[in-house]
Amino acid sequence: MNKSKALKYTLIVGGMVALLGGTYLGGVGYYADRFLANTELLGVDVGGLTLEEGQKQVHTTLNAEEVQLYDKHQHVTNVTLEELGVSINSEGYVESVFNNQSPTQWLTQLLKPSQYDITHSTLVGVGEAGVVSALAQKGIPNSERRPSVDASLR
């Protein structure tokens, strides 16, 4: 092979390596202060958002989640978690996931999405007064209800 062809191939390969390296480093820089693409927290897509945007998105989406209420197998009404007075303390959890993501993994994250869910209810608080108030606003009084009775064997 002559020198001009070798130089041409070297420049082409070098240019491709520089382009790929630059793209990778650009992705690392972009995701340095953002959730990696294809990241889902508690069922909410936060990929590409900053920490603050992700916290707001999770909080807003979860509070707007609708719950169907039934009484004696009859659908009574739909209410949002916010209307029920449910508190969702997800900020610390969202921040923990954010801090555990490495921007150097952005390329693999494009190919393999991550879903983060919880299996316990430590982030959710339900107050009886909020539920009773929300139901009363929907025209569902609690005064006519009997307390539940736990099942038992005799």
Side-chain angles (χ1 to χ4, degrees):
M1 189 179 323
N2 63 29
K3 280 187 162 182
S4 67
K5 275 191 170 184
L7 180 60
K8 182 178 176 181
Y9 287 126
T10 302
L11 290 175
I12 290 173
V13 170
M16 290 177 69
V17 168
L19 180 64
L20 291 174
T23 302
Y24 176 76
L25 291 176
V28 170
Y30 178 77
Y31 288 109
D33 63 347
R34 298 178 180 278
F35 283 98
L36 298 179
N38 295 325
T39 299
E40 190 177 287
L41 287 168
L42 306 172
V44 180
D45 181 14
V46 295
L49 300 178
T50 65
L51 174 59
E52 293 76 25
E53 292 168 340
Q55 287 175 327
K56 183 178 179 182
Q57 182 75 11
V58 169
H59 183 77
T60 302
T61 302
L62 293 181
N63 276 328
E65 190 73 29
E66 269 197 354
V67 177
Q68 297 178 359
L69 299 180
Y70 288 82
D71 184 25
K72 298 177 186 166
H73 305 290
Q74 297 286 337
H75 179 262
V76 178
T77 189
N78 293 344
V79 293
T80 64
L81 293 180
E82 187 171 35
E83 289 173 321
L84 286 175
V86 173
S87 63
I88 302 169
N89 304 313
S90 59
E91 288 80 11
Y93 177 70
V94 172
E95 185 173 3
S96 170
V97 170
F98 180 83
N99 290 333
N100 285 319
Q101 286 191 327
S102 171
T104 60
Q105 299 298 314
W106 73 268
L107 193 55
T108 56
Q109 185 76 13
L110 287 174
L111 305 172
K112 185 178 177 215
S114 293
Q115 294 180 334
Y116 298 90
D117 292 312
I118 54 170
T119 57
H120 49 81
S121 60
T122 59
L123 303 180
V124 179
V126 180
E128 184 179 340
V131 173
V132 170
S133 172
L135 294 177
Q137 289 176 1
K138 296 274 186 179
I140 304 169
N142 197 35
S143 58
E144 300 171 12
R145 299 196 180 281
R146 294 185 319 226
S148 62
V149 178
D150 291 337
S152 63
L153 297 174
R154 296 178 196 229

